[in-house]
Structures are given as C-alpha cells and as structure tokens.
Amino acid sequence: MRAAPTILHLDMDAFYAAAEQAAKPSLRGKPVVVGGTGTRGVVATASYEARRFGVHSAMPVAQARRLCPNAAYLMPRFSLYRSVSEQVMELLGRLSPLVEPLSLDEAFVDLEAGGVADDSASARRAGERLRADIRAVTGLTGSVGLAGSKMLAKIASEQAKPDGLTLIEPGTERELLGPMPVRTLPGVGPATGEHLRRAGMTAVVDLVEAGEDELVRLLGKAHGVSLYRMAVGHDDRPVVAERDAKSVSVEDTFEVDLHDRVRIRAEVVRLSDRCVQRLRAAGRSGRTVVLKVRRYDFSTLTRSETLRGPTDDPAVVREAAGRLLESVDTTGGVRLLGVGVTGLADFTQEDLFAQAAGERAQSQSAEEAVDADPGGGVPAAPVPEPPPERRWLAGQDVRHAAYGAGWVQGSGVGRVTVRFEEPTSAPGRVRTFKVDDPDLVPSDPLPLVRAARDQAGSSPASRPKSRSGAGEEMSSP
C-alpha cells in the first residue's frame, strides 16, 4: 500500500451516451439510450437524464422503453467511441508510462511512475488538470479517483460521479470502507454477496469483524484470504501497462427467432467477417474459432475448433464457424449467434485451410466456366442482381448532397428521417427522404471538438515533466 494517493482511476461519464449528446446538439440535456434498438436489444449506456427514469446498463431495451418512452434510442457507433478513447488514452499516456486501460472509457494510471505526483496535493493537481484537458480535447467529462491502491481509486471515481474528483487519503481506508455494501469489493458478485448475506454479512465492516478464518471457511482459502485483505483496505496490485486481450468476438441478438438454416448460416458468415475485421484492426490473429448459439429456450451452446496456426483470414474463420454450426441443432429456433477468436497472436501463419479454400474456389470457378460454355467460347455475362434495399439505423451518420452532415432519427415503410446538424452547430432541422435517395449516403463521424489533437498537443497541462526534467510520451496500449 502506498503512502500517497498516486494511483489514479479515470471513468468517463456515461461515455457512449455522452458522446452521442456531444455529437448531436438536439439531444443535449435529453434522455439518450445507446444499445440494441430491437425488441431484444440490451442497453449499453444510458445518459444521466435517462437514468432518472430507472434506465441502466444491461437492461433489456424493451423494459427501458417502458420506463422512458421519450428517450432517443440509438445504435452504438464504435468508430466514434474508439476515436475519442484514443484521445483520452493519449492524455493519460502523457501523465505516466504506466497506463492500464480496462475498456474504451476506463483506465488506471500510476502517477508516481510518471513523476507527476508524490503526495496528495500534487496528485490532486494532476487529476484536475487531466479532467480539464479531457474536456478541452473531447468536449466530454470524466470522473477521477485518487488513492493508494487500485481498489480504492476505483471506489473513489465512483463516488466522484458525475464530473468530479475524489481523493482518499492513505490511512483512512478502513473507516471509509466499513459502512459500504460488501458488493463494493472486487470479486463479490451476486452469488458471493447472497452467500455472505445469509451468513449475516452485508457491510464491509461485517467481513472485518468476522475475521479471515471465518471468510476462508465460508468461501475457501484463496477467495476468503483475498476478500479479507480487501475488506481491511489492503490491495497491492500494481498498475500494469500491457493488458493483452484474450479474445475478439462479436454477437447479435435477433428480434425474431431464426429457423431457416440458410439464413442462420448466412448470419454466421456475416459475424465471422465482422470478427475478422476487429481482429485485423487490433493487429492480431487467432488460433481458436468459437461459435456461440443461444436457442429459443435460452439454452446457450458454445463450440470451438483450434486451427493449425494463428490466422486472420476471413475464409478460414468462416469455414471453421460453418463446421461448428453443423454440430448444433437449431431446429427449435435461434435467438442469438456469436463468433469469436481466441488464442491471440501478433502474427499470422500460412494456413492449409486457407490454401485449400483458395484452390477449391479456383477449381469451382473453372468448372462453372466450362459448364457455361462447353464449346470453349466466351461465357455469357452473368445477369446482375438487383441492389439490396438500403438500411438506415437510428443514430447513423449520413451526408446529403444538398443539406450536408446529419444523423438518422428513424426509418420505416420506405422512408428515412434525418436531422441535419453537426457537433459544433445549433440543433438542426429534420427532413424525410426515400430510403434509396441517391443523394443520401453513409458518412464517417465528425470530430466532437474542432482541432482536438492540436489542442491536446498544445496544452501545457498535457506535457508534465518527469523527475529528470524530460517530458515522456507514450501512446496508449
């Protein structure tokens, strides 16, 4: 345990929803829910305005709509969130070489390792500067916790929400933790919490009074010892800069159960391609392909296949996921499908499956050409397929040839409604178009703050000096 509160925990406030409000002036100060917009979708993040109605993360969207029917329900835009996250992580990297990202919007920072804090006063100054820099660069707010351990820094940032800073002075840990619910401690989930409640322990002070031996008797040696140490405020886990992802996966929940085997197979192919896109974006490859299937009765099956070597080839992942699907009975209907890759590596290896797939594709093409023209002449041109109907999702970025940048408010019955506004504009006007209007096209997200990276580079607070006087910069892991 440290004698100074030099471990910082940053948690961006209602990150996805706040980013959407910053990007869409007409939604500022109004309830916003980000997540799946179908009847079986799940809330990813709710703005504080929506939380007042009881909406929270992981809640079914159908329930959220009943609680807050007038909220804006938007699909996630991860390209925007990743872009903002990179800006935030860059600021954290300027504070210290030891930054431990937990997610896009959350990270630990070792301020002492960066030479920017060695006591309570300097730690508080670093935390306040960071909050100001984040607001200047991204237009968003983050809550900061400062303490002598990771556990307490995270507790402090939770107490600071929204848009605040809380510092826990070393030596006050037990007094602070005592009245808190046992679920506050890391590793105490619903099952452990209920087990402790039945034993008469609902507050952290109850764990301390019960003693280590009793917790070991109730929970086993490893869990009992760890929980007692945390209950008395002891947590010596270091901030670790390199946190390797163990897997990459994507999944979709369907509004109506899928019964058609051809459609199920097509969805697995689509998910495989999305999974590989994420894999390549992270610069990784993987050795094991995992298929997840949740059936009509909520039973969930997982199947996996380990390849001969790491790959990021979409054809290889598609074929492996297809083979796994063949071993699953889907006759009753499928609610959810997921495809993942584990056993990640930083390199790819020539894969015999991919080579075989390529050879089969070439062979098949040659056979089709011969069948089309046995006499050896030029094959007839294929009949073009009609273009698929364009699909517009709520919250999607678009651009119109006449009206400029905007976002989709909703679509249906062959029409799409768009509000034309930008992050730095006033609330914009709404217009409706046919879904196939050629002047309306998908667009990339606009920056939330103009010249954000220039501001990050010019901010004096973003360039702290190390103890040796040299500035140290490190990109986010």
Side-chain angles (χ1 to χ4, degrees):
M1 297 291 293
R2 300 188 178 189
T6 54
I7 293 182
L8 179 149
H9 181 258
L10 170 72
D11 195 353
M12 299 294 288
D13 300 320
F15 181 49
Y16 297 171
E20 296 296 346
Q21 289 175 317
K24 301 171 172 63
S26 59
L27 297 183
R28 293 169 191 170
K30 298 178 181 178
V32 172
V33 177
V34 178
T37 55
T39 56
R40 292 181 178 173
V42 174
V43 175
T45 306
S47 69
Y48 286 98
E49 294 86 356
R51 294 181 190 187
R52 297 191 188 105
F53 292 86
V55 180
H56 58 77
S57 299
M59 171 183 286
V61 167
Q63 182 182 355
R65 287 184 183 275
R66 289 193 295 269
L67 294 173
C68 191
N70 295 323
Y73 288 84
L74 308 175
M75 288 293 292
R77 295 188 298 155
F78 287 107
S79 59
L80 170 64
Y81 311 148
R82 280 192 290 268
S83 174
V84 176
S85 177
E86 288 172 2
Q87 295 172 341
V88 172
M89 295 301 167
E90 183 177 348
L91 292 175
L92 297 182
R94 296 181 180 193
L95 286 176
S96 172
L98 292 183
V99 177
E100 182 178 338
L102 304 179
S103 62
L104 290 177
D105 62 333
E106 187 180 0
F108 287 109
V109 183
D110 188 333
L111 299 178
E112 186 176 338
V116 297
D118 54 14
D119 58 16
S120 297
S122 57
R124 184 180 292 276
R125 286 196 297 270
E128 293 292 7
R129 287 199 305 268
L130 174 64
R131 292 179 58 235
D133 283 352
I134 289 173
R135 184 186 286 274
V137 170
T138 70
L140 306 180
T141 64
S143 296
V144 168
L146 295 159
S149 70
K150 291 168 72 172
M151 176 185 71
L152 289 164
K154 186 172 175 63
I155 290 173
S157 69
E158 188 64 31
Q159 291 184 333
K161 283 186 167 296
D163 191 20
L165 181 149
T166 297
L167 185 149
I168 298 176
E169 291 284 358
T172 66
E173 296 92 351
R174 292 183 64 168
E175 179 182 358
L176 173 80
L177 287 171
M180 292 184 173
V182 294
R183 291 285 303 275
T184 304
L185 300 179
V188 182
T192 301
E194 177 60 20
H195 192 47
L196 292 171
R197 187 195 65 78
R198 289 198 301 266
M201 304 177 199
T202 58
V204 175
V205 68
D206 298 330
L207 305 181
V208 178
E209 292 174 353
E212 183 176 324
D213 291 342
E214 177 63 11
L215 293 178
V216 169
R217 187 186 70 80
L218 285 171
L219 306 172
K221 185 171 180 59
H223 198 182
V225 170
S226 172
L227 192 57
Y228 180 77
R229 286 167 60 86
M230 290 189 175
V232 297
H234 188 88
D235 175 23
D236 56 2
R237 294 173 299 163
V239 176
V240 181
E242 294 297 330
R243 285 177 56 91
D244 254 353
K246 296 181 180 179
S247 65
V248 171
S249 63
V250 295
E251 62 182 42
D252 272 347
T253 300
F254 306 105
E255 294 188 31
V256 179
D257 291 348
L258 302 184
H259 293 85
D260 183 355
R261 190 73 177 184
V262 174
R263 167 74 188 283
I264 294 172
R265 176 63 188 246
E267 291 293 341
V268 168
V269 169
R270 183 179 62 82
L271 289 168
S272 299
D273 290 343
R274 281 177 52 196
C275 182
V276 170
Q277 287 174 3
R278 290 189 60 186
L279 197 65
R280 288 181 169 180
R284 310 298 297 275
S285 61
R287 188 183 180 91
T288 301
V289 177
V290 180
L291 176 71
K292 176 180 177 182
V293 180
R294 180 166 297 150
R295 298 187 293 188
Y296 68 99
D297 57 358
F298 288 90
S299 61
T300 302
L301 304 176
T302 57
R303 299 287 186 269
S304 64
E305 177 180 315
T306 298
L307 308 173
R308 299 182 186 180
T311 184
D312 66 351
D313 189 320
V316 175
V317 176
R318 284 196 299 265
E319 283 202 1
R323 286 192 296 271
L324 295 171
L325 179 63
E326 295 304 316
S327 66
V328 178
D329 180 11
T330 62
T331 53
V334 171
R335 298 174 58 88
L336 175 146
L337 287 170
V339 174
V341 177
T342 66
L344 301 188
D346 292 325
F347 62 93
T348 59
Q349 181 172 306
E350 183 65 24
D351 194 289
L352 296 179
F353 293 124
Q355 183 176 353
E359 291 172 353
R360 284 197 302 273
Q362 292 178 0
S363 175
Q364 184 177 359
S365 298
E367 291 174 0
E368 290 175 351
V370 171
D371 290 342
D373 188 3
V378 179
V383 178
E385 296 183 359
E389 182 178 341
R390 302 174 75 180
R391 186 179 177 209
W392 303 102
L393 302 175
Q396 179 179 354
D397 292 286
V398 296
R399 181 170 289 277
H400 192 275
Y403 302 109
W407 58 278
V408 174
Q409 280 199 325
S411 63
V413 294
R415 314 290 286 183
V416 56
T417 301
V418 178
R419 184 181 289 273
F420 291 98
E421 59 186 5
E422 300 183 16
T424 55
S425 73
R429 299 188 63 180
V430 174
R431 296 184 182 275
T432 300
F433 308 91
K434 293 182 178 179
V435 292
D436 57 355
D437 188 320
D439 290 335
L440 187 68
V441 296
S443 176
D444 292 328
L446 296 173
L448 301 184
V449 177
R450 286 198 181 107
R453 293 195 180 275
D454 294 340
Q455 293 182 35
S458 63
S459 171
S462 299
R463 298 191 301 276
K465 298 290 185 179
S466 67
R467 295 184 190 278
S468 62
E472 187 165 2
E473 181 175 341
M474 180 177 179
S475 59
S476 60

